[in-house]
Amino acid sequence: VQLVESGGGLVQAGGSLRLSCAASGSTWTINAITWYRQASGNERELVAAIYNGGSPNYADSVKGRFTISRDNAKNTVYLQMNSLKPEDTAVYICSARAGEWGAYTYWGQGTQVTVSS
């Protein structure tokens, strides 16, 4: 499985961005896709996750502002980010869990999101 993120950039506080995570390869083996973010000097943190079944999962810090969704026909997961804050500035990375019991984890290269105040 290969993952390619896009859609990052520079936006003013209060603005919106939509990130995309396009999957290729053995996409039928994917069980879940998760967006993480890592700000400079900080640990990587989960932002949102979407599964083959069940409801999406969000970090408390983004609930009500971010929405994760998927387009199965395009093998793409989106992260719609609204009401962005400077503290949302980070490299956003998508990750896929695949295989039986999610035994395999794949990572994209990340996309930079910068929110100016």
Side-chain angles (χ1 to χ4, degrees), residues 88-105:
D88 294 318
T89 295
V91 176
Y92 284 70
I93 308 156
C94 71
S95 174
R97 295 291 298 270
E100 189 174 8
W101 305 112
Y104 302 97
T105 302

Side-chain angles (χ1 to χ4, degrees), residues 25-77:
S26 303
T27 57
W28 63 89
T29 66
I30 295 174
N31 302 313
I33 289 191
T34 302
W35 281 100
Y36 292 86
R37 66 185 180 188
Q38 187 164 18
S40 179
N42 290 358
E43 293 186 354
R44 186 172 296 177
E45 63 171 341
L46 184 148
V47 177
I50 192 165
Y51 310 95
N52 286 347
S55 300
N57 185 42
Y58 297 93
D60 288 343
S61 58
V62 306
K63 282 181 181 176
R65 300 189 298 123
F66 290 12
T67 302
I68 190 169
S69 63
R70 65 196 301 170
D71 184 333
N72 290 329
K74 296 182 178 180
N75 291 319
T76 300
V77 168

